[in-house]
Amino acid sequence: MFEGALSIEKTYNQCDKALSDLQAYNEKRKEADFQISTEEKAELDEVVNTAITNATRIVDKEGERNWPGVFREMHTNLAKLYLELDEHDKVRAECERLQDYGETGRLEADEVLESLKEKEDS
């Protein structure tokens, strides 16, 4: 379990970094003189893909482990990452899964879906 706890904490950190990096990248892309090197883009892709892969590995343990808070947070992380990646169907799928995690899950899903609606309307 100790190793699992470390992996979960590491994945939280990876998701936080990936989301932060993606949000910064998406903001910079709006600038007229935006440029990113191939190396910088590859590094961003690696950070994001690692976070998604590891968060998915954790949620794949649903049914095997009793970690409802962890699973809820990982679905939230995935939904937010997919939102930044403009993968709207995946955002909706993660939000649907969040609905299974009580009032907190429903509130988190509503928040992400509201952000998705704003993005689609703009």
Side-chain angles (χ1 to χ4, degrees):
M1 181 61 188
F2 186 69
E3 182 180 327
L6 289 177
S7 178
I8 290 168
E9 185 65 30
K10 183 177 179 183
T11 302
Y12 280 135
N13 292 335
Q14 290 168 335
C15 288
D16 288 344
K17 179 170 179 22
L19 188 57
S20 175
D21 289 358
L22 262 178
Q23 289 169 335
Y25 169 77
N26 285 337
E27 280 302 311
K28 287 179 187 173
R29 280 187 5 188
K30 295 175 186 175
E31 297 172 7
D33 60 345
F34 171 74
Q35 292 183 357
I36 187 171
S37 71
T38 304
E39 294 81 18
E40 290 172 315
K41 181 65 168 99
E43 185 178 311
L44 174 63
D45 289 346
E46 177 68 24
V47 167
V48 171
N49 291 334
T50 297
I52 290 172
T53 297
N54 289 338
T56 301
R57 283 184 184 144
I58 290 173
V59 297
D60 285 347
K61 300 259 184 233
E62 286 176 304
E64 295 174 28
R65 304 282 186 178
N66 187 21
W67 300 337
V70 171
F71 295 139
R72 186 192 77 243
E73 289 186 42
M74 289 301 159
H75 285 299
T76 301
N77 286 331
L78 286 167
K80 288 178 178 180
L81 287 167
Y82 291 139
L83 180 66
E84 291 299 321
L85 291 168
D86 288 326
E87 295 185 21
H88 299 181
D89 289 340
K90 291 180 179 181
V91 172
R92 288 183 190 91
E94 291 302 328
C95 287
E96 188 173 308
R97 296 195 59 194
L98 272 169
Q99 302 289 332
D100 297 333
Y101 291 95
E103 185 64 19
T104 303
R106 284 188 291 279
L107 290 172
E108 289 174 356
D110 289 347
E111 180 183 315
V112 174
L113 289 170
E114 183 61 32
S115 296
L116 176 60
K117 184 179 182 319
E118 290 171 11
K119 196 171 202 176
E120 289 176 331
D121 289 346
S122 63

